[in-house]
Amino acid sequence: MKRILTLALSAALVLGAAALWAQPGFHHKMGGLGGMTAGQMADHMEFMARALDLTDEQKAAAKKIHEEIFAKAEPLIEQHRQQMDEVHALLDGANPDATLVGQKVIAAHATGEQLKALHEEAMSKFSALLNADQLAKLKKFQEMHHDREGFGPPGPGF
């Protein structure tokens, strides 16, 4: 049960996916935002709404937060993808220039930090929507995810 909840939570949470996407090499393993289709994302978002017992008003507010943050994150996700593609292309070359690779990695890291900040902004806004019981459930999901996964920020997004 713990595994199912953890996987569903991490898959459901778009900003978590965006933050994970910011991690070096992640998009090469998963493809897209966690490899999920729009329908799968909607299903997982609904799962989280049920798991946290969100009201209709909370669901609407969460959707608005998601849309606003994702609009900001989407170009950064693409930028990070391009940056990491450049890093991998350099590394796959015959004689990679360590200085150039390092500069590209530093730039990609900075983009990842921007994504992390957006994730934290979204989590702060989303957490403010929740009552004490819902917040406790969310924190438990985050702890389970953090205990299981060795990458990404301390908690998944919403």
Side-chain angles (χ1 to χ4, degrees):
M1 177 70 172
K2 180 179 176 182
R3 177 176 161 81
I4 292 170
L5 288 175
T6 300
L7 291 174
L9 177 65
S10 62
L13 309 172
V14 172
L15 292 174
L20 292 174
W21 186 271
Q23 301 304 310
F26 180 76
H27 67 278
H28 292 284
K29 291 185 260 179
M30 297 299 289
L33 286 175
M36 295 180 69
T37 67
Q40 290 169 325
M41 185 65 67
D43 289 345
H44 290 296
M45 299 267 305
E46 181 59 31
F47 169 81
M48 283 309 301
R50 283 192 312 261
L52 295 176
D53 197 25
L54 298 182
T55 65
D56 289 340
E57 293 80 19
Q58 288 173 314
K59 290 177 194 176
K63 182 177 180 182
K64 184 177 179 185
I65 292 167
H66 166 262
E67 290 169 352
E68 290 172 359
I69 297 295
F70 191 74
K72 295 177 188 177
E74 192 171 28
L76 292 173
I77 292 167
E78 182 56 33
Q79 178 181 341
H80 189 267
R81 178 186 329 197
Q82 291 172 352
Q83 290 168 323
M84 291 309 298
D85 286 346
E86 290 173 11
V87 168
H88 288 283
L90 288 170
L91 290 172
D92 290 340
N95 190 15
D97 180 337
T99 301
L100 186 56
V101 170
Q103 290 169 345
K104 298 284 186 182
V105 169
I106 290 168
H109 177 74
T111 304
E113 289 298 307
Q114 290 177 299
L115 285 166
K116 182 179 176 183
L118 285 174
H119 174 273
E120 291 169 359
E121 176 186 344
M123 284 306 301
S124 176
K125 289 179 178 182
F126 180 68
S127 295
L129 299 174
L130 304 178
N131 64 36
D133 290 337
Q134 293 166 327
L135 193 55
K137 287 178 188 177
L138 178 64
K139 288 184 183 208
K140 186 169 183 155
F141 284 140
Q142 289 173 325
E143 289 169 7
M144 289 178 359
H145 176 75
H146 182 65
D147 289 345
R148 185 174 180 326
E149 302 295 339
F151 55 87
F158 63 88

